[in-house]
Coordinates of all heavy atoms in Angstrom, one line a residue:
M1 N 24.4 -37.5 -40.2 CA 24.1 -37.7 -38.8 C 25.1 -38.7 -38.2 O 25.5 -39.6 -38.8 CB 22.6 -38.3 -38.7 CG 22.1 -38.6 -37.3 SD 20.4 -39.2 -37.2 CE 19.6 -37.8 -37.5
S2 N 25.5 -38.4 -37.1 CA 26.6 -39.3 -36.5 C 25.9 -40.4 -35.8 O 24.7 -40.6 -35.6 CB 27.3 -38.4 -35.4 OG 26.4 -37.9 -34.4
L3 N 26.8 -41.5 -35.3 CA 26.4 -42.6 -34.8 C 25.7 -42.2 -33.4 O 24.7 -42.8 -33.1 CB 27.4 -43.6 -34.5 CG 27.9 -44.3 -35.9 CD1 29.0 -45.2 -35.5 CD2 26.8 -44.9 -36.6
V4 N 26.3 -41.4 -32.6 CA 25.9 -41.1 -31.3 C 25.8 -39.5 -31.2 O 26.8 -38.8 -31.5 CB 26.7 -41.6 -30.2 CG1 26.3 -41.1 -28.8 CG2 26.8 -43.1 -30.2
D5 N 24.6 -39.0 -30.9 CA 24.4 -37.5 -30.8 C 24.6 -37.1 -29.3 O 24.3 -37.9 -28.5 CB 23.1 -37.2 -31.3 CG 22.9 -37.4 -32.8 OD1 23.7 -37.0 -33.5 OD2 21.8 -38.0 -33.0
V6 N 25.2 -36.0 -29.1 CA 25.2 -35.4 -27.8 C 24.1 -34.3 -27.8 O 24.3 -33.3 -28.6 CB 26.6 -34.8 -27.4 CG1 26.5 -34.1 -26.1 CG2 27.6 -35.8 -27.3
I7 N 23.1 -34.3 -26.9 CA 22.1 -33.3 -26.8 C 22.2 -32.5 -25.7 O 22.1 -33.1 -24.6 CB 20.8 -34.2 -27.0 CG1 20.7 -35.1 -28.1 CG2 19.5 -33.2 -27.0 CD1 19.8 -36.2 -28.0
K8 N 22.4 -31.2 -25.7 CA 22.5 -30.4 -24.6 C 21.9 -29.0 -24.8 O 21.8 -28.7 -26.1 CB 23.9 -30.4 -24.1 CG 24.9 -29.8 -25.1 CD 26.4 -29.7 -24.5 CE 27.2 -29.1 -25.6 NZ 28.7 -29.0 -25.1
Y9 N 21.7 -28.3 -23.8 CA 21.2 -26.9 -23.9 C 22.1 -26.0 -24.6 O 23.3 -25.9 -24.1 CB 20.8 -26.5 -22.6 CG 20.2 -25.1 -22.5 CD1 18.7 -24.9 -23.1 CD2 20.8 -24.1 -22.2 CE1 18.2 -23.7 -23.0 CE2 20.3 -22.7 -22.2 CZ 18.9 -22.6 -22.5 OH 18.4 -21.3 -22.6
E10 N 21.7 -25.3 -25.6 CA 22.5 -24.3 -26.3 C 22.1 -23.0 -26.4 O 22.6 -22.0 -27.1 CB 23.0 -24.8 -27.7 CG 23.6 -26.3 -27.7 CD 23.8 -26.8 -29.1 OE1 23.2 -26.3 -30.1 OE2 24.2 -28.0 -29.1
G11 N 21.0 -22.7 -25.6 CA 20.3 -21.4 -25.6 C 21.1 -20.4 -24.6 O 22.0 -20.7 -24.0
D12 N 20.4 -19.3 -24.4 CA 20.9 -18.4 -23.4 C 20.2 -18.5 -22.1 O 19.1 -19.2 -21.9 CB 20.8 -16.9 -24.0 CG 19.5 -16.5 -24.2 OD1 18.6 -17.0 -23.7 OD2 19.3 -15.5 -25.2
N13 N 20.6 -17.8 -21.0 CA 20.0 -17.9 -19.7 C 18.7 -17.1 -19.6 O 17.9 -17.2 -18.6 CB 21.0 -17.4 -18.7 CG 22.1 -18.4 -18.6 OD1 21.9 -19.5 -18.8 ND2 23.2 -17.8 -18.0
Q14 N 18.3 -16.4 -20.8 CA 17.0 -15.6 -20.6 C 15.9 -16.4 -21.3 O 14.7 -15.9 -21.3 CB 17.2 -14.3 -21.3 CG 18.3 -13.4 -20.8 CD 18.0 -13.1 -19.3 OE1 16.8 -12.7 -19.0 NE2 18.9 -13.1 -18.5
T15 N 16.1 -17.6 -21.8 CA 15.1 -18.5 -22.5 C 14.4 -19.2 -21.6 O 15.1 -20.0 -20.7 CB 15.7 -19.2 -23.7 OG1 16.6 -18.3 -24.5 CG2 14.8 -20.0 -24.3
F16 N 13.1 -19.3 -21.5 CA 12.4 -20.2 -20.6 C 12.2 -21.6 -21.0 O 12.5 -22.5 -20.3 CB 11.0 -19.6 -20.4 CG 10.1 -20.3 -19.4 CD1 10.4 -20.4 -18.1 CD2 8.9 -20.8 -19.9 CE1 9.8 -21.2 -17.1 CE2 8.1 -21.5 -19.0 CZ 8.6 -21.7 -17.7
V17 N 11.8 -21.8 -22.2 CA 11.8 -23.1 -22.9 C 12.6 -23.0 -24.3 O 12.3 -22.2 -25.0 CB 10.2 -23.5 -23.1 CG1 10.3 -24.8 -23.9 CG2 9.5 -23.5 -21.9
W18 N 13.4 -24.0 -24.5 CA 14.2 -24.1 -25.7 C 14.1 -25.5 -26.2 O 14.2 -26.6 -25.6 CB 15.7 -23.7 -25.4 CG 16.6 -23.7 -26.4 CD1 16.8 -22.6 -27.4 CD2 17.5 -24.7 -26.8 NE1 17.7 -23.0 -28.3 CE2 18.1 -24.2 -28.0 CE3 17.8 -26.0 -26.3 CZ2 19.2 -25.0 -28.7 CZ3 18.8 -26.6 -27.1 CH2 19.4 -26.2 -28.1
K19 N 13.8 -25.5 -27.5 CA 13.7 -26.8 -28.2 C 15.0 -27.0 -29.0 O 15.5 -26.2 -29.7 CB 12.5 -26.8 -29.3 CG 12.4 -28.0 -30.1 CD 11.3 -27.9 -31.3 CE 11.4 -29.2 -32.1 NZ 12.3 -29.3 -33.2
H20 N 15.5 -28.2 -28.8 CA 16.8 -28.5 -29.4 C 16.6 -28.5 -31.0 O 15.5 -29.1 -31.5 CB 17.4 -30.0 -29.0 CG 18.7 -30.3 -29.4 ND1 19.1 -30.6 -30.7 CD2 19.8 -30.0 -28.7 CE1 20.4 -30.8 -30.7 NE2 20.9 -30.4 -29.5
P21 N 17.4 -27.9 -31.8 CA 17.1 -27.7 -33.2 C 17.1 -29.1 -34.0 O 16.4 -29.4 -35.1 CB 18.2 -26.9 -33.6 CG 19.3 -27.0 -32.8 CD 18.7 -27.3 -31.5
R22 N 17.7 -30.2 -33.5 CA 17.7 -31.4 -34.3 C 16.7 -32.3 -33.7 O 16.2 -32.2 -32.7 CB 19.1 -32.1 -33.9 CG 20.3 -31.4 -34.4 CD 21.2 -32.2 -35.3 NE 21.0 -33.5 -35.7 CZ 21.8 -34.5 -35.5 NH1 22.9 -34.3 -34.9 NH2 21.5 -35.7 -36.1
E23 N 16.1 -33.2 -34.6 CA 15.2 -34.1 -34.4 C 15.7 -35.4 -34.8 O 16.7 -35.5 -35.4 CB 13.8 -33.8 -35.1 CG 13.2 -32.5 -34.7 CD 11.8 -32.2 -35.4 OE1 11.5 -33.0 -36.2 OE2 11.2 -31.1 -35.2
D24 N 14.9 -36.5 -34.6 CA 15.3 -37.9 -35.1 C 16.7 -38.3 -34.5 O 17.6 -38.6 -35.3 CB 15.4 -37.8 -36.6 CG 14.0 -37.2 -37.2 OD1 13.1 -37.4 -36.6 OD2 14.1 -36.7 -38.3
F25 N 16.8 -38.2 -33.2 CA 18.1 -38.7 -32.6 C 18.2 -40.2 -32.8 O 17.4 -40.9 -32.7 CB 18.2 -38.3 -31.0 CG 17.8 -36.9 -30.9 CD1 16.8 -36.3 -30.4 CD2 18.9 -35.9 -31.3 CE1 16.6 -35.0 -30.0 CE2 18.7 -34.6 -31.0 CZ 17.6 -34.1 -30.5
N26 N 19.6 -40.6 -32.9 CA 19.8 -42.1 -33.0 C 19.7 -42.7 -31.5 O 19.8 -42.0 -30.4 CB 21.2 -42.3 -33.5 CG 21.5 -42.0 -34.9 OD1 20.4 -42.0 -35.7 ND2 22.5 -41.5 -35.3
T27 N 19.3 -43.9 -31.6 CA 19.3 -44.7 -30.3 C 20.8 -44.7 -29.8 O 21.7 -44.7 -30.4 CB 18.8 -46.1 -30.4 OG1 18.4 -46.6 -29.2 CG2 19.9 -47.0 -31.0
G28 N 20.9 -44.5 -28.4 CA 22.3 -44.4 -27.8 C 22.7 -43.0 -27.7 O 23.8 -42.7 -27.1
S29 N 22.0 -41.9 -28.1 CA 22.4 -40.6 -27.9 C 22.4 -40.3 -26.6 O 21.7 -40.7 -25.7 CB 21.3 -39.6 -28.7 OG 21.4 -39.9 -30.2
Q30 N 23.4 -39.4 -26.3 CA 23.6 -38.8 -24.9 C 22.9 -37.5 -24.6 O 23.0 -36.6 -25.3 CB 25.0 -38.7 -24.7 CG 25.9 -40.0 -24.7 CD 25.6 -40.9 -23.7 OE1 25.5 -40.7 -22.6 NE2 25.1 -42.2 -24.2
L31 N 22.1 -37.5 -23.6 CA 21.3 -36.3 -23.3 C 21.9 -35.7 -21.9 O 22.1 -36.4 -21.0 CB 19.9 -36.7 -23.0 CG 19.0 -35.4 -22.3 CD1 18.9 -34.3 -23.3 CD2 17.6 -35.9 -21.9
I32 N 22.4 -34.4 -22.0 CA 23.1 -33.8 -20.9 C 22.0 -32.7 -20.5 O 21.7 -31.8 -21.2 CB 24.4 -33.2 -21.2 CG1 25.4 -34.4 -21.6 CG2 25.0 -32.5 -20.1 CD1 26.6 -33.8 -22.2
V33 N 21.7 -32.6 -19.2 CA 20.7 -31.7 -18.6 C 21.5 -31.1 -17.5 O 22.0 -31.7 -16.5 CB 19.5 -32.4 -18.0 CG1 18.6 -31.3 -17.4 CG2 18.7 -33.2 -19.1
H34 N 21.7 -29.8 -17.5 CA 22.5 -29.0 -16.6 C 21.6 -28.6 -15.3 O 20.5 -28.7 -15.2 CB 23.0 -27.6 -17.3 CG 23.8 -27.7 -18.4 ND1 25.0 -28.4 -18.3 CD2 23.6 -27.7 -19.7 CE1 25.6 -28.4 -19.5 NE2 24.7 -27.9 -20.4
E35 N 22.3 -28.2 -14.3 CA 21.6 -27.8 -13.1 C 20.7 -26.7 -13.4 O 20.9 -26.0 -14.4 CB 22.7 -27.2 -12.1 CG 23.6 -28.3 -11.4 CD 22.9 -29.3 -10.6 OE1 21.9 -28.9 -9.8 OE2 23.2 -30.4 -10.5
S36 N 19.6 -26.6 -12.6 CA 18.5 -25.7 -12.8 C 17.8 -25.8 -14.1 O 17.2 -25.0 -14.7 CB 19.0 -24.2 -12.7 OG 19.6 -23.8 -13.9
Q37 N 17.9 -26.9 -14.7 CA 17.1 -27.3 -16.0 C 16.4 -28.6 -15.8 O 16.6 -29.5 -14.9 CB 18.0 -27.4 -17.2 CG 18.7 -26.2 -17.7 CD 19.5 -26.4 -18.8 OE1 19.8 -27.5 -19.1 NE2 19.9 -25.4 -19.5
E38 N 15.4 -28.8 -16.7 CA 14.7 -30.1 -16.8 C 14.5 -30.3 -18.3 O 14.3 -29.3 -19.0 CB 13.3 -30.1 -16.1 CG 12.6 -31.4 -16.3 CD 11.2 -31.4 -15.3 OE1 11.1 -30.4 -14.6 OE2 10.5 -32.2 -15.6
A39 N 14.6 -31.5 -18.8 CA 14.4 -31.8 -20.2 C 13.2 -32.7 -20.3 O 13.1 -33.6 -19.5 CB 15.8 -32.5 -20.8
I40 N 12.4 -32.6 -21.4 CA 11.3 -33.3 -21.7 C 11.5 -34.0 -23.1 O 11.9 -33.3 -24.1 CB 10.1 -32.6 -21.7 CG1 9.8 -31.9 -20.3 CG2 8.8 -33.4 -22.1 CD1 8.6 -31.0 -20.3
F41 N 11.5 -35.3 -23.1 CA 11.8 -36.1 -24.3 C 10.5 -36.5 -24.9 O 9.5 -37.1 -24.3 CB 12.6 -37.3 -24.0 CG 12.7 -38.2 -25.1 CD1 13.7 -37.9 -26.0 CD2 12.3 -39.5 -25.2 CE1 14.1 -38.7 -27.1 CE2 12.5 -40.2 -26.3 CZ 13.3 -39.8 -27.2
F42 N 10.2 -36.1 -26.3 CA 9.1 -36.4 -27.0 C 9.5 -37.4 -28.2 O 10.4 -37.2 -28.8 CB 8.6 -35.2 -27.8 CG 7.8 -34.2 -26.8 CD1 8.5 -33.4 -26.0 CD2 6.3 -34.3 -26.8 CE1 7.8 -32.5 -25.1 CE2 5.7 -33.3 -26.0 CZ 6.5 -32.6 -25.2
L43 N 8.6 -38.4 -28.3 CA 9.0 -39.3 -29.3 C 7.6 -39.6 -30.1 O 6.5 -39.9 -29.6 CB 9.4 -40.8 -28.8 CG 9.7 -41.8 -29.8 CD1 10.9 -41.3 -30.8 CD2 10.1 -43.1 -29.2
N44 N 7.5 -39.2 -31.5 CA 6.5 -39.3 -32.2 C 5.3 -38.4 -31.7 O 4.1 -38.8 -31.8 CB 6.0 -40.8 -32.4 CG 7.0 -41.6 -33.2 OD1 7.7 -41.1 -34.1 ND2 7.3 -42.8 -32.8
G45 N 5.7 -37.3 -31.3 CA 4.6 -36.3 -30.8 C 4.1 -36.6 -29.4 O 3.2 -35.9 -28.9
Q46 N 4.6 -37.6 -28.7 CA 4.2 -37.9 -27.3 C 5.3 -37.7 -26.2 O 6.3 -38.2 -26.5 CB 3.6 -39.3 -27.4 CG 3.0 -39.7 -26.0 CD 2.6 -41.2 -26.2 OE1 3.0 -42.1 -27.0 NE2 1.6 -41.5 -25.3
A47 N 4.9 -36.9 -25.2 CA 5.9 -36.8 -24.2 C 6.1 -38.0 -23.4 O 5.2 -38.7 -22.9 CB 5.4 -35.7 -23.1
L48 N 7.4 -38.6 -23.5 CA 7.6 -39.9 -22.8 C 8.2 -39.9 -21.5 O 8.0 -40.7 -20.6 CB 8.4 -40.7 -23.8 CG 7.8 -41.1 -25.2 CD1 8.7 -42.1 -25.9 CD2 6.4 -41.9 -24.9
D49 N 9.0 -38.7 -21.2 CA 9.8 -38.8 -20.0 C 10.3 -37.4 -19.8 O 10.5 -36.5 -20.7 CB 10.9 -39.7 -20.1 CG 11.4 -40.4 -18.7 OD1 11.0 -39.7 -17.7 OD2 12.2 -41.3 -18.6
S50 N 10.6 -37.1 -18.6 CA 11.2 -35.8 -18.2 C 12.6 -36.2 -17.5 O 12.6 -37.3 -16.8 CB 10.3 -35.0 -17.4 OG 10.0 -35.5 -16.1
F51 N 13.6 -35.4 -17.7 CA 14.9 -35.8 -17.1 C 15.4 -34.5 -16.2 O 15.3 -33.4 -16.6 CB 15.9 -35.9 -18.2 CG 15.5 -37.0 -19.1 CD1 14.8 -36.9 -20.2 CD2 16.1 -38.4 -18.8 CE1 14.5 -37.9 -21.0 CE2 15.8 -39.4 -19.6 CZ 15.0 -39.2 -20.6
L52 N 15.9 -34.9 -14.9 CA 16.5 -33.8 -14.1 C 17.9 -33.7 -14.4 O 18.5 -34.5 -15.3 CB 16.3 -34.2 -12.7 CG 14.7 -34.2 -12.3 CD1 14.5 -34.9 -10.9 CD2 14.1 -33.1 -12.2
P53 N 18.8 -32.8 -13.8 CA 20.2 -32.7 -14.1 C 20.8 -34.1 -14.1 O 20.6 -34.8 -13.2 CB 20.5 -31.8 -13.0 CG 19.4 -30.9 -12.8 CD 18.3 -31.9 -12.8
G54 N 21.8 -34.3 -15.1 CA 22.5 -35.5 -15.2 C 22.7 -35.8 -16.7 O 22.6 -35.0 -17.5
R55 N 23.2 -37.1 -16.9 CA 23.5 -37.5 -18.2 C 22.8 -38.8 -18.4 O 22.8 -39.6 -17.6 CB 24.9 -37.8 -18.4 CG 25.6 -38.2 -19.7 CD 27.0 -38.4 -19.7 NE 27.5 -38.6 -21.1 CZ 28.1 -37.7 -21.7 NH1 28.5 -36.7 -21.2 NH2 28.4 -37.9 -23.2
Y56 N 22.1 -38.9 -19.6 CA 21.3 -40.0 -19.8 C 21.6 -40.6 -21.3 O 21.9 -39.8 -22.2 CB 19.8 -39.5 -19.8 CG 19.4 -38.9 -18.5 CD1 19.6 -37.6 -18.2 CD2 19.0 -39.7 -17.4 CE1 19.2 -37.0 -17.1 CE2 18.7 -39.2 -16.1 CZ 18.8 -37.8 -15.9 OH 18.4 -37.2 -14.7
E57 N 21.3 -41.7 -21.4 CA 21.3 -42.5 -22.8 C 19.9 -42.6 -23.2 O 19.0 -43.2 -22.5 CB 22.1 -43.7 -22.7 CG 22.3 -44.4 -24.1 CD 23.2 -45.6 -24.1 OE1 24.1 -45.6 -23.3 OE2 22.8 -46.5 -24.8
L58 N 19.6 -42.1 -24.4 CA 18.2 -42.2 -24.9 C 18.1 -43.4 -25.9 O 19.0 -43.8 -26.4 CB 17.9 -41.0 -25.7 CG 18.0 -39.7 -25.1 CD1 17.6 -38.5 -26.0 CD2 17.1 -39.5 -23.9
E59 N 16.9 -44.0 -25.8 CA 16.6 -45.2 -26.7 C 15.5 -44.7 -27.6 O 14.3 -44.3 -27.2 CB 16.0 -46.4 -25.8 CG 17.1 -47.0 -25.0 CD 16.7 -48.3 -24.3 OE1 15.7 -48.9 -24.9 OE2 17.1 -48.5 -23.2
T60 N 15.8 -44.6 -28.9 CA 14.8 -44.2 -29.9 C 14.7 -45.3 -30.9 O 15.3 -46.4 -30.7 CB 15.2 -42.9 -30.6 OG1 16.4 -43.2 -31.4 CG2 15.5 -41.8 -29.6
Q61 N 13.9 -45.2 -31.9 CA 13.7 -46.1 -32.9 C 14.6 -45.9 -34.2 O 14.4 -46.7 -35.1 CB 12.1 -46.3 -33.3 CG 11.3 -46.6 -32.2 CD 9.9 -46.5 -32.5 OE1 9.6 -45.3 -33.1 NE2 9.1 -47.1 -31.8
N62 N 15.4 -44.9 -34.0 CA 16.4 -44.7 -35.1 C 17.8 -45.5 -34.9 O 18.4 -45.3 -33.9 CB 16.7 -43.2 -35.2 CG 15.6 -42.4 -35.8 OD1 14.8 -42.9 -36.6 ND2 15.3 -41.2 -35.1
I63 N 18.0 -46.4 -35.7 CA 19.2 -47.2 -35.7 C 20.3 -46.7 -36.7 O 20.0 -46.7 -37.8 CB 18.9 -48.6 -36.0 CG1 17.9 -49.1 -34.9 CG2 20.2 -49.7 -35.8 CD1 17.2 -50.5 -35.3
P64 N 21.3 -46.1 -36.2 CA 22.3 -45.5 -37.1 C 22.7 -46.2 -38.3 O 22.7 -45.6 -39.5 CB 23.6 -45.3 -36.2 CG 23.2 -45.4 -34.9 CD 22.0 -46.3 -34.9
L65 N 23.0 -47.4 -38.4 CA 23.6 -48.0 -39.5 C 22.4 -48.3 -40.6 O 22.6 -48.8 -41.7 CB 24.5 -49.2 -39.2 CG 25.7 -48.8 -38.3 CD1 26.4 -50.0 -37.9 CD2 26.6 -47.8 -39.1
L66 N 21.2 -48.6 -40.1 CA 20.1 -49.0 -40.7 C 19.2 -47.9 -41.3 O 18.2 -48.1 -42.0 CB 19.3 -50.1 -40.1 CG 20.0 -51.4 -39.6 CD1 19.0 -52.2 -38.8 CD2 20.5 -52.1 -40.8
N67 N 19.5 -46.7 -40.8 CA 18.7 -45.5 -41.1 C 18.4 -45.4 -42.7 O 17.1 -45.1 -43.1 CB 19.2 -44.2 -40.6 CG 18.6 -43.9 -39.2 OD1 17.8 -44.6 -38.7 ND2 19.3 -43.0 -38.5
K68 N 19.3 -45.5 -43.5 CA 19.2 -45.3 -45.0 C 18.2 -46.3 -45.5 O 17.4 -46.0 -46.4 CB 20.5 -45.3 -45.7 CG 21.3 -44.0 -45.3 CD 22.7 -44.1 -46.1 CE 23.4 -42.7 -45.7 NZ 24.6 -42.6 -46.5
I69 N 18.4 -47.5 -45.1 CA 17.4 -48.6 -45.6 C 16.0 -48.4 -45.0 O 15.0 -48.4 -45.8 CB 17.9 -49.9 -45.2 CG1 19.2 -50.2 -45.9 CG2 17.0 -51.1 -45.6 CD1 20.0 -51.3 -45.4
I70 N 15.9 -48.1 -43.7 CA 14.6 -48.0 -43.2 C 13.8 -46.8 -43.7 O 12.7 -46.9 -43.8 CB 14.7 -47.8 -41.6 CG1 15.3 -49.2 -41.0 CG2 13.4 -47.6 -40.9 CD1 15.7 -49.2 -39.6
N71 N 14.5 -45.6 -44.0 CA 14.0 -44.5 -44.4 C 13.7 -44.4 -46.0 O 13.1 -43.4 -46.4 CB 14.9 -43.2 -44.0 CG 15.0 -43.2 -42.5 OD1 14.2 -43.8 -41.7 ND2 16.0 -42.5 -42.1
I72 N 13.9 -45.4 -46.6 CA 13.6 -45.5 -48.1 C 12.2 -45.2 -48.4 O 11.8 -44.3 -49.2 CB 14.1 -46.7 -48.9 CG1 15.7 -46.6 -48.9 CG2 13.5 -46.7 -50.2 CD1 16.3 -48.0 -49.4
P73 N 11.2 -45.8 -47.7 CA 9.8 -45.7 -48.0 C 9.4 -44.3 -47.7 O 8.3 -43.7 -48.2 CB 9.1 -46.6 -47.2 CG 10.1 -47.7 -46.8 CD 11.4 -46.9 -46.7
S74 N 10.0 -43.5 -46.8 CA 9.5 -42.1 -46.4 C 10.4 -41.1 -47.0 O 10.4 -40.0 -46.6 CB 9.6 -41.9 -44.9 OG 10.8 -42.2 -44.4
G75 N 11.0 -41.4 -48.2 CA 11.8 -40.4 -48.9 C 13.1 -39.9 -48.2 O 13.5 -38.9 -48.4
G76 N 13.6 -40.8 -47.4 CA 14.9 -40.5 -46.7 C 14.8 -39.9 -45.3 O 15.7 -39.6 -44.7
E77 N 13.5 -39.4 -45.0 CA 13.2 -38.9 -43.8 C 12.8 -39.9 -42.8 O 12.0 -40.8 -43.1 CB 12.1 -37.8 -43.9 CG 11.8 -37.1 -42.6 CD 10.7 -36.0 -42.8 OE1 10.7 -35.6 -44.0 OE2 10.0 -35.6 -41.9
S78 N 13.3 -39.7 -41.6 CA 12.9 -40.8 -40.5 C 11.4 -40.7 -40.2 O 11.0 -39.7 -39.9 CB 13.7 -40.5 -39.3 OG 13.3 -41.3 -38.2
P79 N 10.8 -41.8 -40.0 CA 9.4 -41.7 -39.6 C 9.2 -41.7 -38.1 O 8.3 -41.5 -37.5 CB 8.9 -43.1 -40.1 CG 10.0 -44.1 -40.3 CD 11.3 -43.1 -40.6
F80 N 10.5 -41.8 -37.3 CA 10.5 -41.7 -35.9 C 11.0 -40.4 -35.4 O 12.2 -40.3 -35.4 CB 11.3 -42.9 -35.3 CG 10.8 -44.3 -36.0 CD1 11.7 -44.9 -36.8 CD2 9.6 -44.8 -35.6 CE1 11.4 -46.1 -37.3 CE2 9.3 -46.1 -36.2 CZ 10.1 -46.6 -37.0
H81 N 10.2 -39.5 -35.2 CA 10.7 -38.1 -34.7 C 10.8 -38.0 -33.3 O 9.8 -38.2 -32.4 CB 9.6 -37.1 -35.3 CG 9.7 -37.0 -36.7 ND1 10.6 -36.4 -37.4 CD2 8.7 -37.4 -37.6 CE1 10.3 -36.5 -38.7 NE2 9.1 -37.0 -38.8
A82 N 11.9 -37.7 -32.8 CA 12.2 -37.5 -31.4 C 12.7 -36.0 -31.2 O 13.4 -35.6 -32.0 CB 13.4 -38.4 -31.0
E83 N 12.1 -35.3 -30.2 CA 12.4 -34.1 -29.8 C 12.8 -33.9 -28.3 O 12.3 -34.7 -27.5 CB 11.2 -33.1 -30.1 CG 10.8 -33.3 -31.6 CD 9.4 -32.6 -31.8 OE1 8.6 -32.6 -31.0 OE2 9.2 -31.8 -32.9
V84 N 13.5 -32.9 -28.1 CA 13.9 -32.6 -26.7 C 13.7 -31.1 -26.5 O 14.2 -30.4 -27.2 CB 15.4 -33.1 -26.4 CG1 15.7 -32.6 -24.9 CG2 15.6 -34.5 -26.6
Y85 N 12.9 -30.7 -25.4 CA 12.7 -29.4 -24.9 C 13.3 -29.3 -23.5 O 13.3 -30.2 -22.7 CB 11.2 -29.2 -24.7 CG 10.4 -29.1 -26.1 CD1 10.1 -30.3 -26.7 CD2 10.2 -27.8 -26.6 CE1 9.4 -30.2 -27.9 CE2 9.5 -27.7 -27.9 CZ 9.1 -28.8 -28.5 OH 8.4 -28.8 -29.5
F86 N 14.2 -28.2 -23.5 CA 14.7 -27.9 -22.2 C 14.0 -26.8 -21.6 O 13.6 -25.8 -22.1 CB 16.2 -27.4 -22.4 CG 17.1 -28.5 -22.9 CD1 17.3 -28.8 -24.2 CD2 17.8 -29.2 -21.9 CE1 18.2 -29.9 -24.7 CE2 18.8 -30.3 -22.3 CZ 18.8 -30.5 -23.8
I87 N 13.8 -26.9 -20.3 CA 13.0 -25.8 -19.5 C 14.0 -25.3 -18.4 O 14.5 -26.1 -17.6 CB 11.8 -26.5 -18.9 CG1 10.9 -27.0 -19.9 CG2 11.2 -25.4 -17.9 CD1 9.8 -27.9 -19.4
N88 N 14.2 -24.1 -18.4 CA 15.0 -23.4 -17.3 C 14.1 -23.3 -16.1 O 13.0 -22.7 -16.2 CB 15.5 -22.0 -17.7 CG 16.7 -22.3 -18.5 OD1 17.6 -23.0 -18.4 ND2 16.8 -21.3 -19.6
L89 N 14.5 -23.7 -14.9 CA 13.8 -23.6 -13.7 C 14.2 -22.5 -12.8 O 13.7 -22.4 -11.7 CB 13.9 -25.0 -12.9 CG 13.5 -26.2 -13.7 CD1 13.9 -27.5 -13.0 CD2 12.1 -26.0 -14.1
V90 N 15.3 -21.7 -13.3 CA 15.8 -20.6 -12.4 C 14.8 -19.5 -12.4 O 14.1 -19.2 -13.5 CB 17.1 -20.1 -13.1 CG1 17.6 -18.7 -12.4 CG2 18.1 -21.1 -13.0
E91 N 14.3 -18.9 -11.4 CA 13.5 -17.7 -11.2 C 14.2 -16.5 -11.8 O 15.4 -16.1 -11.4 CB 13.3 -17.4 -9.7 CG 12.5 -18.4 -9.2 CD 12.0 -18.1 -7.7 OE1 11.8 -17.0 -7.4 OE2 11.9 -19.1 -6.8
Q92 N 13.7 -16.1 -12.9 CA 14.2 -14.9 -13.6 C 13.2 -14.3 -14.5 O 12.0 -14.8 -14.5 CB 15.4 -15.4 -14.5 CG 15.0 -16.4 -15.5 CD 16.2 -17.0 -16.3 OE1 17.3 -16.6 -16.1 NE2 16.0 -17.8 -17.2
M93 N 13.5 -13.3 -15.2 CA 12.8 -12.6 -16.2 C 11.5 -11.8 -15.6 O 10.7 -11.4 -16.3 CB 12.1 -13.6 -17.2 CG 13.3 -14.3 -18.1 SD 12.7 -15.4 -19.3 CE 12.3 -16.7 -18.6
G94 N 11.4 -11.9 -14.3 CA 10.3 -11.1 -13.6 C 8.9 -11.6 -14.1 O 8.0 -10.9 -14.2
I95 N 8.7 -12.9 -14.3 CA 7.4 -13.5 -14.7 C 6.6 -13.9 -13.5 O 7.1 -14.6 -12.7 CB 7.6 -14.8 -15.6 CG1 8.4 -14.4 -17.0 CG2 6.3 -15.3 -16.0 CD1 8.6 -15.6 -17.8
P96 N 5.5 -13.0 -13.2 CA 4.7 -13.4 -12.1 C 3.8 -14.6 -12.5 O 3.1 -14.7 -13.5 CB 3.9 -12.2 -12.0 CG 3.8 -11.6 -13.2 CD 5.1 -11.9 -14.0
W97 N 3.9 -15.7 -11.6 CA 3.2 -16.9 -11.8 C 1.8 -16.8 -11.0 O 1.6 -17.2 -10.0 CB 3.9 -18.1 -11.5 CG 5.0 -18.2 -12.6 CD1 6.3 -17.9 -12.3 CD2 4.9 -18.7 -13.9 NE1 7.0 -18.3 -13.5 CE2 6.2 -18.7 -14.4 CE3 3.9 -19.1 -14.7 CZ2 6.5 -19.1 -15.8 CZ3 4.1 -19.5 -15.9 CH2 5.4 -19.4 -16.5

């Protein structure tokens, strides 16, 4: 895991909701939300914030240089799970709401 992660949408334009494959982002990670998208940030299973288009710095409880020490009791896995879901807001796919 790098010191600073860049989190951005990597799916296709036909996807309505896309979950970033990585979890457990480091504090200071950069979130990039493109036009016609919204991102929702979850920390430990709780939705904490939604982000409109732009660039944001995330604050999580994962500290890059201390992760190995902090994660020893949990078998090397971070106890602080952070997830980002991207939602496409473009009208497409012929979905009637």
Side-chain angles (χ1 to χ4, degrees):
M1 183 179 284
S2 62
L3 290 178
V4 175
D5 297 310
V6 176
I7 307 153
K8 61 182 179 178
Y9 182 75
E10 297 168 5
D12 60 27
N13 290 334
Q14 301 300 317
T15 304
F16 182 62
V17 176
W18 183 79
K19 178 185 175 282
H20 195 279
R22 297 229 10 233
E23 297 180 2
D24 308 333
F25 303 111
N26 290 329
T27 197
S29 294
Q30 299 294 306
L31 172 66
I32 299 171
V33 183
H34 299 290
E35 289 293 324
S36 73
Q37 291 180 343
E38 184 173 345
I40 301 175
F41 178 71
F42 285 81
L43 184 61
N44 297 322
Q46 185 176 21
L48 293 183
D49 209 348
S50 63
F51 298 90
L52 296 175
R55 184 179 191 107
Y56 304 92
E57 185 174 316
L58 300 179
E59 291 184 32
T60 68
Q61 296 165 330
N62 290 324
I63 303 167
L65 300 176
L66 299 178
N67 273 347
K68 290 185 180 187
I69 297 169
I70 293 171
N71 297 343
I72 288 174
S74 60
E77 183 178 334
S78 172
F80 309 111
H81 292 288
E83 302 172 323
V84 175
Y85 288 83
F86 291 89
I87 301 169
N88 278 325
L89 303 175
V90 172
E91 288 184 35
Q92 62 185 359
M93 299 186 281
I95 298 175
W97 295 101

